[in-house]
């Protein structure tokens, strides 16, 4: 049983110099057999385990993580949350996640610092204006809050943006989703880990999956660095390494893994109280609670698993940032890193059964998976528990690449790839 | 970020090149006879290997010619570069 976090527990623990806090999740050795195994202890994987235990009462589960939980893309993204996607299927998927975000801190009794500070997407040419207006209308038809702002309204909402019409890519307007925002990414992994652990899920770190054991058309277990573990259901949520796991099972996925970069500046006083994204010039920026500017750059154009990324990509992003925000011209950047993102040809994810019985994949989130973490976990848990997709993720099956029923979200994905 | 030895121009920075993805995917000879599964395999499915992979590259900001490369995607080390139509060297 987990002790509840509250202002009273904070005061109580202050008296003992914060040395007696209960451990948030355990460090168990793997059992011989589980009802289900989740491969990948990032936000999506931990959320999947949490909802399997909570909503579907399957508690004999292990989450296998080759490093430490939240050490992959969960700890590497730029924490942006929004649901202003074009197509009905995507709107359903991402807004389902956004609705869970709105009550997540209370549900998990863990402050994920969800902040609905709004996300603005800028238009820099006439085609941008047409596309973004179309997306605004599509969003509103799907019940998602979205408004179109003209240049003056953009300036009013975020005064530090350079709206001069003399710059290379002038701001011609933008869309705003007010319910969108950011959350503390590490806290999401930790909150779900703590919640899942309390429900009986084994979170096993430093345990790398080395092989998927099959008996003909069905899975029977996984080979890991801590030995063989028997199971009838395997949910793979391995992000950039999804193809590596798929190859172990003899499957091929429509994915390419590429480095995506982000960087943060030195901390400064509050200067930007929203998230601003720009597809055309490829720059997006927000400010963390510590005061750092959090800047997202683009993907490299080639397949790589190096978690680094190229300098020219960062240079292009910073060039655009400086034109849009001259106020940042003397800021120093403190850290830069890369994460490996698994990109689908249609820039939409796969949450699906496969042709192998008991093997499920949740992958292809590409450059924008963080925002969907709670919804993705919820729907993937449903898919694993019932061996059938939920109606919200039915369109995101792997067979769409055979049928041709793609969900093209390149316009809404915000990172060109 | 790495340097690529273009078989036509010599060593240049990677940012001059664009990646054309997995190499040696052969365009179907009888497209009209392909099933949906075979089309999906040709168009979308990729090995996406972590390790040594065969790739096509184009010197987009140079001679604009295509060539093949054998590269380790886990550390970006290039093992071999060979021209289109040539047999891949053994590495």
């Amino acid at each position: 049983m987990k002790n509840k976090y509250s202002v009273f527990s904070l005061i109580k623990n202050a008296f003992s110099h914060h040395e007696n806090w209960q451990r948030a999740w355990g460090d168990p050795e793997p059992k011989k057999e589980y009802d289900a195994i989740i491969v990948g202890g990032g936000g999506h994987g931990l959320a999947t385990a949490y909802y399997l235990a909570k909503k579907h009462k399957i508690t004999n589960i292990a989450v296998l993580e080759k490093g430490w939980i939240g050490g992959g893309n969960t700890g590497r993204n730029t924490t942006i949350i929004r649901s202003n996607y074009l197509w009905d299927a995507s709107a359903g998927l991402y807004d389902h996640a956004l609705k869970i975000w709105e009550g997540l801190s209370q549900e998990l009794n863990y402050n994920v610092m969800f902040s609905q500070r709004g996300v603005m997407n800028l238009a820099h040419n006439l085609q941008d204006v047409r596309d973004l207006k179309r997306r605004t209308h599509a969003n509103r038809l799907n019940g998602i809050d979205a408004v179109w702002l003209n240049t003056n309204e953009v300036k009013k909402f975020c005064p530090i943006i350079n709206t001069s019409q003399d710059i290379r890519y002038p701001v011609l307007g933008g869309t705003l989703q007010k319910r969108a925002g950011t959350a503390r990414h590490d806290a999401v992994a930790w909150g779900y880990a703590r919640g899942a652990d309390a429900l009986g899920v084994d979170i096993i770190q430093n345990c790398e999956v080395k092989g998927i054991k099959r008996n003909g058309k069905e899975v029977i277990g996984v080979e890991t660095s801590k030995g063989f573990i028997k199971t009838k259901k395997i949910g793979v949520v391995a992000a950039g390494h999804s193809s590596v796991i798929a190859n172990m099972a003899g499957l091929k996925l429509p994915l390419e893994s590429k480095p995506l970069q982000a960087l943060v500046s030195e901390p400064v006083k509050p200067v930007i109280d929203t998230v601003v994204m720009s597809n055309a010039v490829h720059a997006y920026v927000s400010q963390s609670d510590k005061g750092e500017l959090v800047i997202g750059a683009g993907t490299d154009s080639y397949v790589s698993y190096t978690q680094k990324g190229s300098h020219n990509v960062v240079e292009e992003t910073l060039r655009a940032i400086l034109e849009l925000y001259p106020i940042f011209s003397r800021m120093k950047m403190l850290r830069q890193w890369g994460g490996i993102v698994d990109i689908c040809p249609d820039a939409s994810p796969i949450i699906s059964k496969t042709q192998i019985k008991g093997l499920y994949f949740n992958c292809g989130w590409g450059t924008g998976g963080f925002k969907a973490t709670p919804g993705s976990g919820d729907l993937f848990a449903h898919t694993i528990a019932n061996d059938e997709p939920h109606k919200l993720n039915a369109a995101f099956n792997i067979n769409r690449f055979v049928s041709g029923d793609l969900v093209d979200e390149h316009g809404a994905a915000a990172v060109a790839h | 970020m790495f340097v690529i030895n273009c078989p036509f121009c010599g060593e240049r920075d990677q940012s001059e090149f664009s990646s054309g993805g997995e190499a040696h995917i052969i365009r179907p000879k009888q497209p009209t006879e392909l099933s949906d599964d075979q089309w999906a395999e040709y168009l979308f499915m990729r090995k996406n290997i972590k390790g040594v992979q065969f790739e096509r590259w184009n010197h987009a900001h140079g001679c604009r010619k295509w060539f093949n490369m054998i590269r380790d995607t886990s550390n970006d080390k290039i093992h071999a570069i060979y021209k289109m139509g040539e047999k891949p060297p053994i590495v």
Side-chain angles (χ1 to χ4, degrees):
Chain A
M1 189 62 198
K2 290 271 184 278
N3 293 337
K4 199 170 150 57
Y5 290 155
S6 68
V7 66
F8 303 109
S9 69
L10 191 64
I11 294 165
K12 194 179 132 210
N13 279 282
F15 285 112
S16 55
H17 306 283
H18 297 292
E19 285 170 357
N20 295 321
W21 284 101
Q22 186 187 25
R23 200 179 169 139
W25 56 86
D27 186 21
E29 281 302 307
K31 290 187 227 165
K32 291 216 160 18
E33 184 175 358
Y34 288 96
D35 293 340
I37 282 179
I38 306 299
V39 181
H44 290 244
L46 293 163
T48 304
Y50 173 78
Y51 291 114
L52 269 174
K54 190 172 180 211
K55 289 176 110 170
H56 306 282
K57 309 295 171 209
I58 302 172
T59 55
N60 185 26
I61 316 172
V63 177
L64 307 183
E65 166 56 47
K66 73 172 171 177
W68 64 95
I69 57 164
N73 292 351
T74 302
R76 291 166 188 268
N77 61 74
T78 50
T79 79
I80 298 166
I81 295 161
R82 61 190 172 89
S83 63
N84 55 352
Y85 279 71
L86 177 65
W87 300 107
D88 295 352
S90 320
L93 177 68
Y94 291 102
D95 211 50
H96 176 62
L98 184 49
K99 283 182 187 131
I100 304 176
W101 278 114
E102 286 173 332
L104 191 62
S105 291
Q106 286 74 24
E107 184 186 338
L108 293 177
N109 178 228
Y110 202 102
N111 188 1
V112 299
M113 296 163 82
F114 180 51
S115 157
Q116 291 177 297
R117 58 184 68 183
V119 169
M120 200 155 60
N121 289 82
L122 300 181
H124 298 277
N125 55 51
L126 287 175
Q127 189 58 44
D128 274 0
V129 172
R130 288 185 206 110
D131 287 346
L132 286 176
K133 279 189 174 169
R134 178 190 177 202
R135 187 133 67 84
T136 310
H137 296 315
N139 289 160
R140 293 169 72 132
L141 286 170
N142 277 316
I144 293 167
D145 65 312
V147 285
W148 169 258
L149 306 180
N150 64 29
T151 309
N152 290 335
E153 288 164 329
V154 167
K155 181 81 178 167
K156 206 171 156 213
F157 192 71
C158 183
I160 62 167
I161 293 184
N162 178 8
T163 50
S164 158
Q165 295 302 297
D166 297 330
I167 61 177
R168 175 67 183 82
Y169 296 101
V171 176
L172 300 183
T175 64
L176 173 64
Q177 186 182 17
K178 282 204 163 167
R179 282 163 65 232
T182 59
R184 170 84 199 277
H185 49 191
D186 302 314
V188 177
W190 299 335
Y192 273 122
R194 179 171 173 266
D197 184 272
L199 294 166
V201 173
D202 281 356
I203 295 165
I204 301 159
Q205 305 186 65
N206 298 311
C207 180
E208 185 177 355
V209 170
K210 305 270 194 191
I212 307 266
K213 267 266 165 71
R214 281 164 60 174
N215 179 10
K217 279 264 163 204
E218 59 183 347
V219 296
I220 51 171
V222 288
E223 289 290 355
T224 76
S225 53
K226 295 192 176 184
F228 177 73
I229 309 173
K230 215 171 140 188
T231 187
K232 287 198 167 116
K233 288 188 172 191
I234 303 171
V236 182
V237 208
H241 284 72
S242 297
S243 298
V244 177
I245 307 277
N247 289 342
M248 291 174 190
L251 282 180
K252 250 167 111 182
L253 295 173
L255 297 175
E256 286 195 311
S257 297
K258 297 176 176 178
L260 175 69
Q261 292 178 76
L263 54 163
V264 294
S265 72
E266 59 190 334
V268 290
K269 286 188 177 177
V271 62
I272 177 166
D273 62 356
T274 184
V275 182
V276 187
M277 317 182 70
S278 167
N279 238 352
V281 298
H282 209 289
Y284 52 98
V285 64
S286 62
Q287 192 170 16
S288 74
D289 292 349
K290 275 191 284 183
E292 304 154 321
L293 295 180
V294 182
I295 294 170
T299 55
D300 279 315
S301 63
Y302 51 87
V303 170
S304 179
Y305 288 81
T306 53
Q307 294 191 323
K308 285 189 289 198
S310 304
H311 296 301
N312 61 307
V313 174
V314 175
E315 195 183 336
E316 278 157 29
T317 292
L318 289 179
R319 211 151 50 198
I321 294 267
L322 287 188
E323 189 173 64
L324 279 177
Y325 312 91
I327 191 176
F328 296 150
S329 65
R330 281 177 289 163
M331 294 275 288
K332 292 184 176 69
M333 292 299 144
L334 282 192
R335 288 179 289 128
Q336 170 275 351
W337 64 91
I340 304 304
V341 297
D342 44 331
I343 298 170
C344 263
D346 59 355
S348 284
I350 296 166
I351 313 171
S352 180
K353 293 162 63 168
T354 63
Q355 71 235 41
I356 300 166
K357 191 170 157 28
L359 185 63
Y360 307 84
F361 269 87
N362 183 353
C363 59
W365 289 94
T367 57
F370 176 72
K371 66 174 78 71
T373 305
S376 154
D378 182 33
L379 299 173
F380 196 41
H382 181 102
T383 307
I384 294 173
N386 299 301
D387 198 35
E388 275 304 318
H390 187 279
K391 69 178 192 307
L392 286 175
N393 68 308
F396 299 95
N397 63 68
I398 205 163
N399 284 331
R400 72 178 189 266
F401 297 97
V402 176
S403 68
D405 193 8
L406 303 182
V407 189
D408 182 5
E409 287 290 359
H410 281 283
V415 175
H417 43 60
Chain B
M1 186 167 226
F2 42 90
V3 169
I4 296 173
N5 191 1
C6 171
F8 308 99
C9 311
E11 288 192 346
R12 300 293 172 89
D13 194 277
Q14 171 266 316
S15 60
E16 285 189 19
F17 297 81
S18 64
S19 169
E22 194 178 319
H24 306 300
I25 297 175
I26 298 159
R27 193 182 162 78
K29 291 214 167 62
Q30 306 274 347
T32 48
E33 284 165 25
L34 246 49
S35 67
D36 288 353
D37 277 317
Q38 285 167 322
W39 269 120
E41 179 74 18
Y42 167 67
L43 285 173
F44 298 125
M45 300 304 165
R46 294 294 176 261
K47 289 183 194 149
N48 196 23
I49 292 168
K50 183 181 185 178
V52 177
Q53 168 157 293
F54 293 71
E55 299 175 328
R56 293 175 306 168
W57 283 75
N58 178 239
H59 195 179
H61 300 286
C63 64
R64 301 178 66 190
K65 285 188 180 134
W66 286 90
F67 55 91
N68 289 318
M69 186 193 290
I70 305 175
R71 188 173 61 96
D72 191 330
T73 59
S74 65
N75 56 17
D76 287 344
K77 195 169 170 246
I78 297 167
H79 290 300
I81 287 174
Y82 53 102
K83 290 181 183 167
M84 285 286 161
E86 285 180 0
K87 266 189 109 172
I90 295 156
V91 291

